Amino acid sequence: MQPLSNRAKQVDKKPMTLAERAYLPAIFQGLSITMRHFFMKKPTIRYPEEQRPFSPVFRGLHVLKRDEQGRERCTACGLCAVACPAEAITMVAGERKKGEEGLYREEKYAVSYEINMLRCIFCGLCEEACPKAAVYLQADKMAPPRFERDEFIYGKNRLVEPVSPDNRSKRGIQLTEEQAQQLRAKMDAQLA
Ligand code: SF4
Ligand code: SF4
């Protein structure tokens, strides 16, 4: 048959030597590659004990902010969930009861608020969509490694920022700066 181009090469079909039939050259070649990689610098790290520096454009992990009086800012309007391209945010809205004015800023609040960190692509669109400045991404934090998938569903217990002693004082327990520092030290000691 006439070849379509002149690039085809005729190869010899030599009979294999005894060593080739025993696969010895191929085995030694494979072992040499293995040994070469054994002494090369490792491209991987022992995460999470070691961590690489964050990229300058890394947006980080979510936090649900409180206002200056320690009340939750989120009103469960759902705009962040609508904006989320990964459909990672779910929430249940509730009505604030009498006496809860110090807990929630608006009459409507999020009874539950969850972000699925396995779905999230950390694009930051939820932060941009929020009209109440309630959800932010913290550039210095990331979701720590876990063994169970359930543990990547972050609820309010892990998303709402903790109340600081200073903010508590603004919610009725009037503390001096010294008392606030003592309370902060006590809380730090309990957490240690
Ligand atoms: S960062 Fe992006 S993907 Fe993640 S919850 Fe917010 S909007 Fe959704
Ligand atoms: S975080 Fe912001 S956008 Fe999302 S439900 Fe709460 S108030 Fe609305």
Side-chain angles (χ1 to χ4, degrees):
M1 195 169 67
Q2 195 67 26
L4 292 176
S5 71
N6 290 327
R7 281 179 291 172
K9 282 185 189 167
Q10 198 76 27
V11 289
D12 291 336
K13 195 174 178 186
K14 289 188 297 186
M16 289 169 81
T17 63
L18 182 64
E20 282 171 340
R21 271 187 282 158
Y23 297 108
L24 286 176
I27 289 172
F28 285 116
Q29 194 184 7
L31 278 177
S32 72
I33 292 171
T34 305
M35 293 308 287
R36 198 167 67 237
H37 281 270
F38 193 71
F39 293 107
M40 272 165 57
K41 188 172 179 286
K42 291 186 183 64
T44 52
I45 58 166
R46 295 176 65 84
Y47 181 82
E49 289 84 10
E50 292 172 44
Q51 286 192 4
R52 295 192 198 282
F54 291 135
S55 156
V57 293
F58 179 66
R59 294 191 181 87
L61 192 65
H62 309 69
V63 61
L64 283 177
K65 301 291 282 183
R66 295 178 184 276
D67 68 3
E68 57 286 347
Q69 295 174 37
R71 301 173 300 185
E72 290 179 20
R73 284 174 173 267
C74 177
T75 59
C77 66
L79 284 178
C80 53
V82 172
C84 177
E87 298 187 354
I89 303 177
T90 52
M91 73 194 70
V92 176
E95 248 184 74
R96 187 179 70 187
K97 295 189 182 62
K98 203 163 182 289
E100 292 181 337
E101 292 80 5
L103 298 175
Y104 313 110
R105 195 170 63 164
E106 318 259 344
E107 287 173 8
K108 196 170 147 219
Y109 72 101
V111 178
S112 89
Y113 186 104
E114 288 182 344
I115 301 182
N116 185 337
M117 295 300 169
L118 293 176
R119 300 191 76 156
C120 177
I121 54 170
F122 303 96
C123 61
L125 287 179
C126 48
E127 180 182 308
E128 283 181 34
C130 181
K132 300 291 177 182
V135 65
Y136 279 95
L137 279 87
Q138 311 160 97
D140 60 336
K141 291 195 171 58
M142 64 187 287
R146 293 278 185 264
F147 289 108
E148 302 295 330
R149 294 177 75 85
D150 288 357
E151 295 184 63
F152 286 97
I153 314 287
Y154 276 47
K156 279 182 73 175
N157 55 337
R158 283 197 278 175
L159 289 170
V160 178
E161 72 174 344
V163 183
S164 76
D166 290 342
N167 284 343
R168 277 187 193 175
S169 69
K170 286 178 190 153
R171 287 168 57 199
I173 318 161
Q174 197 58 48
L175 301 180
T176 62
E177 181 56 30
E178 191 185 342
Q179 287 172 320
Q181 276 179 5
Q182 282 171 357
L183 184 54
R184 193 181 294 126
K186 198 173 158 190
M187 287 172 77
D188 287 346
Q190 283 172 354
L191 288 173

